[in-house]
Amino acid sequence: MTVDTAPARPAAQPAPPPPAAVRRGLRPGRLGVHAFLMAVSLAFLAPLLLAVYASLRPYDETSEYGYFSLPRHLSFDYYRQAFADSGMTKYFVNTMIIAVPGVLVTLFLASFVAFALARLKMRGGIVLLMLFTAGNLLPQQVIVTPLYVVFNRIPLPYWMSDSMTMYDSYWAVVVVQIGFQIGFCVFVLANFMRTLPQEILEAAIVDGAGVWTQYWRITLPLCRPALAALGTLQFTWMYNDFLWALVFVSDGDKLPITSALNNLRGQFFTDYNLLAAGSVIVALPTLVVFLLLQRHFIAGLTLGSSKG
């Protein structure tokens, strides 16, 4: 019988972490990038934070000690007063009448046009896409006067407009919003649809799917992140618009919520703390929409970031 006299092997020791992993969080470059991003974020948030801070303080206090002084008294009285004095409920309904149909129609028409340009291989599709993109470069103020004249000459039945014309109606604002926003949406959706696998549509065509089925049941579900990102942006832009409603609506009862802030301005004196509270209230719906669609919005913004 033989006895194994080989020395025992030492127990395996865990390998030390690579130096790069240890130093990853301490690199000066990463610290500089994070510091820069924090500074930029604070610069963008500073006006909003200052408005919230001012809206919680009495005007007499800020006029005596300044807006950047420490608070002596904080309350939500200005928010209740701003909501009651400006009649925001009525103006908010007016804004929804303009923004919700505008966003839905814009996304539907833009997705339909983008599908035709990107998936049906139309002749001259690139030229048409360039025309849609070039429309975004046109300053909106250039055509204010022509549109004002045209809308005053387009007749509408009484059930569509009290003025019997397109002027002084929600239709004028909605049509202008759709016309100016559809080009950007077509550009984004067409480029996204080009990244979708062509084999999916080819398999659907083999199974007998028509053009509508290819668009509605196959392509649109795949474009959900892009549509959510565009929907968030479009709602924010249409909700915050002030120019078109001011030009094409003369009846004060039809104005959107952005015009409600004018009701908080006095003829001889303006309480800017009250105006700040009204501004915060007006901004809340856009924040709620962003928070609800945040996951889809971020996914839509990062689409294609990992593609070759």
Side-chain angles (χ1 to χ4, degrees):
M1 182 178 65
T2 59
V3 179
D4 188 6
T5 58
R9 296 181 179 179
Q13 298 293 329
V22 176
R23 297 193 300 267
R24 179 175 299 176
L26 303 177
R27 287 185 299 179
R30 291 179 62 87
L31 293 177
V33 170
H34 285 284
F36 173 76
L37 294 177
M38 291 178 61
V40 173
S41 300
L42 289 176
F44 276 94
L45 290 176
L48 177 61
L49 297 177
L50 181 60
V52 174
Y53 181 53
S55 65
L56 298 174
R57 304 177 63 187
Y59 180 80
D60 296 337
E61 180 179 309
T62 55
S63 62
E64 180 178 356
Y65 301 103
Y67 284 95
F68 295 97
S69 59
L70 294 177
R72 274 74 173 175
H73 177 70
L74 297 176
S75 68
F76 291 94
D77 295 338
Y78 273 137
Y79 287 92
R80 291 190 291 267
Q81 183 179 348
F83 191 85
D85 293 351
S86 63
M88 285 191 178
T89 303
K90 174 183 62 179
Y91 293 105
F92 180 75
V93 173
N94 295 340
T95 302
M96 292 298 104
I97 293 175
I98 295 172
V100 173
V103 172
L104 295 179
V105 175
T106 299
L107 293 181
F108 173 74
L109 295 179
S111 62
F112 207 75
V113 175
F115 174 79
L117 296 178
R119 312 300 287 179
L120 299 184
K121 307 300 181 182
M122 294 177 55
R123 287 187 177 182
I126 299 298
V127 177
L128 188 58
L129 182 60
M130 292 175 60
L131 291 177
F132 274 103
T133 307
N136 295 323
L137 305 178
L138 178 67
Q140 299 181 2
Q141 295 80 1
V142 173
I143 61 173
V144 167
T145 301
L147 287 177
Y148 179 84
V149 175
V150 170
F151 287 164
N152 273 283
R153 297 181 179 180
I154 297 178
L156 290 179
Y158 181 78
W159 61 272
M160 294 183 65
S161 174
D162 298 339
S163 62
M164 303 293 290
T165 62
M166 201 162 182
Y167 176 76
D168 195 22
S169 68
Y170 298 120
W171 299 97
V173 183
V174 172
V175 167
V176 171
Q177 293 286 4
I178 294 173
F180 272 101
Q181 302 300 335
I182 194 172
F184 173 75
C185 294
V186 168
F187 175 77
V188 174
L189 290 174
N191 285 281
F192 172 71
M193 290 181 183
R194 286 195 175 95
T195 65
L196 299 178
Q198 185 66 27
E199 293 78 8
I200 297 178
L201 284 185
E202 293 175 353
I205 294 173
V206 171
D207 291 338
V211 175
W212 178 259
T213 302
Q214 299 173 38
Y215 162 74
W216 187 257
R217 302 186 61 181
I218 299 175
T219 304
L220 274 191
L222 296 175
C223 296
R224 187 178 302 171
L227 291 172
L230 286 174
T232 305
L233 292 175
Q234 294 300 317
F235 179 81
T236 302
W237 292 338
M238 295 183 187
Y239 180 90
N240 291 326
D241 177 70
F242 181 73
L243 172 65
W244 296 120
L246 187 66
V247 173
F248 299 133
V249 176
S250 60
D251 188 354
D253 293 334
K254 298 179 182 177
L255 292 174
I257 196 170
T258 50
S259 62
L261 297 179
N262 284 335
N263 296 338
L264 300 178
R265 293 179 176 269
Q267 183 177 2
F268 303 103
F269 168 75
T270 298
D271 189 339
Y272 289 100
N273 294 37
L274 177 63
L275 193 61
S279 302
V280 173
I281 295 176
V282 170
L284 285 179
T286 56
L287 295 177
V288 172
V289 171
F290 175 77
L291 292 176
L292 292 178
L293 299 177
Q294 180 181 12
R295 179 170 61 88
H296 298 289
F297 179 74
I298 296 176
L301 292 181
T302 57
L303 286 172
S305 60
S306 60
K307 298 181 184 293

